Amino acid sequence: MLWVKAFHVVFMVAWFAGLFYLPRLFVYHAQATDALSHERFKVMERKLYRGIMTPSMVLTLGFGLWLWLGFGITGTWLHAKVAVVVLLVAHHFWLGHLVKVFARDSNERSHVFYRWINEIPLLYLVAIVVLVVVKPF
Ligand code: HEM
């Protein structure tokens, strides 16, 4: 069980690294004025989202479900955790939609908007880690 939990946490860290870094790329991309920079950011965003974030999300969820359904670790805290994770997965797919918006050169939002988006994963991280470590209910 501990090996499963270890890999659950490893892929969670990789997923969150992308959840924090991708909006940062959007900040610089929204400020870019030359075509070369635009093309460079498109490649970085696509590779980060498809090559790191999405596989890490799938593995985090897979190992989490294995801990829950395979080893029977459960409780009200876990149901609340899964509810927050569902919102986080929706946030992940929204970021994926934004990757496509930038790829079409049709972004209309300013870098300030993406600086705020950059902070959102922290709220999810605090909520999920408190629920699973403290198990308040
Ligand atoms: C479907 C989604 C998920 C399920 C079903 C799930 C389930 C679980 C379960 C059953 C444990 C073991 C808890 C224990 O042994 O006390 C665990 C541990 C953990 N989970 Fe998840 N998890 C999910 C997603 C996530 C996500 C997105 C994060 C991101 C922050 C996360 C962070 C952690 C951490 C840090 C631990 C280790 C806690 C400890 O050792 O005290 N999990 N998870």
Side-chain angles (χ1 to χ4, degrees):
M1 189 276 278
L2 290 180
W3 281 95
V4 177
K5 193 192 290 189
F7 283 106
H8 178 56
V9 174
V10 165
F11 290 111
M12 175 274 281
V13 171
W15 185 22
F16 268 87
L19 288 166
F20 281 114
Y21 188 40
L22 186 56
R24 181 54 52 179
L25 288 177
F26 292 155
V27 168
Y28 302 136
H29 199 162
Q31 290 176 301
T33 53
D34 62 295
L36 191 62
S37 297
H38 277 281
E39 294 314 309
R40 183 181 305 120
F41 284 124
K42 289 177 190 177
V43 172
M44 293 170 74
E45 289 154 4
R46 188 180 68 246
K47 288 188 173 178
L48 177 63
Y49 183 76
R50 293 188 192 165
I52 296 175
M53 289 172 65
T54 302
S56 300
M57 175 186 73
V58 170
L59 289 163
T60 300
L61 302 183
F63 284 113
L65 291 168
W66 188 352
L67 288 166
W68 177 16
L69 306 174
F71 292 95
I73 303 172
T74 190
T76 311
W77 61 270
L78 182 70
H79 301 147
K81 179 185 176 185
V82 170
V84 177
V85 172
V86 168
L87 295 176
L88 180 60
V89 170
H91 180 75
H92 173 97
F93 285 117
W94 179 59
L95 292 177
H97 161 71
L98 291 174
V99 168
K100 291 184 182 136
V101 167
F102 274 100
R104 292 193 303 266
D105 295 315
S106 51
N107 171 57
E108 292 172 355
R109 292 187 172 114
S110 77
H111 64 91
V112 176
F113 173 82
Y114 294 110
R115 287 179 195 280
W116 283 106
I117 299 303
N118 201 183
E119 306 307 326
I120 292 177
L122 182 62
L123 304 175
Y124 283 110
L125 188 62
V126 170
I128 296 171
V129 170
V130 167
L131 282 168
V132 71
V133 173
V134 180
K135 298 181 173 65
F137 39 74

